[in-house]
Amino acid sequence: AIKRDLSDLPPAGLAPDDQPRFAPLLAEWWSTRDSDHVPSGKAFIHSDAGKCARAISYRLAKIPKSDPMDLPGWHNVELGTLIHEAWQEALPAMFTVERAQAMFTDRTVTGVGFTIEAGVGHEEVDSIGFIDAVVIFFDGDHAPYIIAVELKSQGGWGFKNSIGKARKNSPAEGPNDGHMLQAALNGLAVDADEVVVAYIAKECLSATQYRDVDPAARFTAEWTFTREQYEPLARQELARIAKVIELNQEGLLAPRKLPDMPPRSEIIDPSTGEWQQVLVDEDGTETLGDVGNAFWCSYCSYQSLCATTEAGRIPIDTVVSIGEVA
């Protein structure tokens, strides 16, 4: 067969420039800001709820981050900030008494109050948190009904996983554990009757694939938790954080553990997130139990530093020395 030389033809498609010159400037400008907006005097911030105990220890010990946020991170975070600020402006303008009344059958709502970016805390762990919105319903005959709303923006894939649309017949994973724990801590601080974790997707579900769903469901989702559901989660997280703080006061960093990992398990390789569980028989024999991968390691601001450290409880001074050498 005769073969034609096609090397002189241009490649198919239209590839982008090798180096964008103008589009990245917004993210670069954002990256010049201070990445830590939380007052440094507090031991714990609610937005760290659900994070690895070792990562919380690093921050508590004021160890510098080894992996500062990159441009994609700034792009993602600041887009979320823009969504938050716009939603917080829209909430009191759009959530009317009529909308509030539709929520209740046992009371007549006479007014609705809003607190945006409500600063709260728990004295037992010297914490601080900021609730995206506290919505209070008044009727004159009952105590005010309080809902704490935690708003999060989501990427398209994460949103699909949360609502069970990532794959056919896949279950809805619900809100991220950290988001749920943050909402629970905030809700407990204001004695909320309910907490709501609300997601706004940055990418809408396809109108072609999801033409039969409510339009709002293609980019928003909410999960509501009663006091009986969220309070035990908040108490458990407070107890975990209290233990991390106690170790810090003893000069130790906590083991590399996440709240949803099984007992006697720890992350053994922060560079990959690999964790292992070690089981101990009655005679003291150790055997390997469950294994898994903590994908959050890839998003941790201390990943590179943590990969140079040992597992278990370790002295803070040794890690400070490593950081100075690095």
Side-chain angles (χ1 to χ4, degrees):
I2 299 175
K3 295 184 179 181
R4 179 186 172 190
D5 182 8
L6 304 178
S7 61
D8 60 328
L9 296 180
L14 188 60
D17 295 347
D18 291 337
Q19 181 61 54
R21 296 174 293 164
F22 305 106
L25 296 180
L26 178 58
E28 290 178 14
W29 178 61
W30 279 333
S31 71
T32 63
R33 303 180 184 181
D34 183 3
S35 63
D36 192 347
H37 305 294
V38 180
S40 59
K42 292 295 182 179
F44 174 68
I45 59 174
H46 294 180
S47 57
D48 276 351
K51 286 187 177 180
C52 172
R54 176 69 70 81
I56 295 172
S57 284
Y58 289 142
R59 184 166 195 164
L60 187 60
K62 296 181 171 58
I63 294 174
K65 298 176 181 178
S66 59
D67 303 83
M69 195 156 54
D70 58 11
L71 280 188
W74 278 104
H75 173 76
N76 188 49
V77 167
E78 293 298 327
L79 284 181
T81 299
L82 293 176
I83 292 172
H84 269 74
E85 291 175 348
W87 175 84
Q88 288 171 329
E89 183 178 355
L91 175 64
M94 298 296 293
F95 196 89
T96 62
V97 171
E98 289 73 23
R99 283 178 181 259
Q101 185 58 68
M103 295 172 48
F104 298 97
T105 58
D106 61 342
R107 65 181 67 196
T108 300
V109 179
T110 58
V112 185
F114 306 91
T115 302
I116 305 299
E117 285 294 305
V120 297
H122 294 279
E123 291 184 3
E124 61 264 46
V125 293
D126 187 29
S127 72
I128 188 169
F130 296 92
I131 309 177
D132 292 317
V134 179
V135 186
I136 306 175
F137 305 88
F138 304 95
D139 70 356
D141 296 324
H142 301 80
Y145 195 89
I146 302 172
I147 298 181
V149 183
E150 190 65 39
L151 182 76
K152 299 294 183 183
S153 58
Q154 283 279 86
W157 180 252
F159 180 72
K160 287 181 179 180
N161 276 318
S162 298
I163 64 174
K165 298 296 185 182
R167 294 168 295 276
K168 186 177 181 180
N169 299 323
S170 62
E173 295 181 0
N176 172 280
D177 288 345
H179 299 165
M180 179 65 242
L181 290 173
Q182 181 182 358
L185 290 174
N186 286 341
L188 183 62
V190 294
D191 194 27
D193 296 281
E194 298 176 5
V195 298
V196 173
V197 181
Y199 280 176
I200 296 179
K202 298 171 187 172
E203 178 185 356
C204 298
L205 299 179
S206 167
T208 302
Q209 291 180 293
Y210 303 102
R211 64 175 70 250
D212 296 330
V213 303
D214 185 289
R218 288 175 44 215
F219 67 98
T220 64
E222 294 181 4
W223 292 264
T224 299
F225 301 91
T226 65
R227 190 194 309 273
E228 291 73 24
Q229 291 173 312
Y230 80 76
E231 184 170 347
L233 298 176
R235 300 287 184 195
Q236 186 175 13
E237 182 68 355
L238 286 172
R240 184 179 80 100
I241 299 305
K243 185 61 179 177
V244 173
I245 293 175
E246 180 183 340
L247 289 173
N248 175 264
Q249 292 171 344
E250 296 173 1
L252 298 172
L253 295 174
R256 297 187 286 241
K257 293 184 178 182
L258 291 159
D260 60 350
M261 288 167 55
R264 296 189 61 82
S265 61
E266 184 173 358
I267 297 169
I268 61 170
D269 186 357
S271 65
T272 63
E274 180 186 357
W275 60 262
Q276 293 182 354
Q277 180 188 35
V278 177
L279 302 177
V280 181
D281 298 335
E282 293 182 357
D283 61 359
T285 303
E286 294 185 350
T287 57
L288 182 64
D290 290 337
V291 297
N293 182 272
F295 72 93
W296 284 116
C297 283
S298 298
Y299 298 92
C300 181
S301 299
Y302 300 96
Q303 184 184 26
S304 298
L305 172 66
C306 200
T308 67
T309 66
E310 300 295 327
R313 300 176 180 181
I314 61 175
I316 294 174
D317 291 345
T318 61
V319 178
V320 172
S321 299
I322 292 173
E324 291 173 350
V325 172

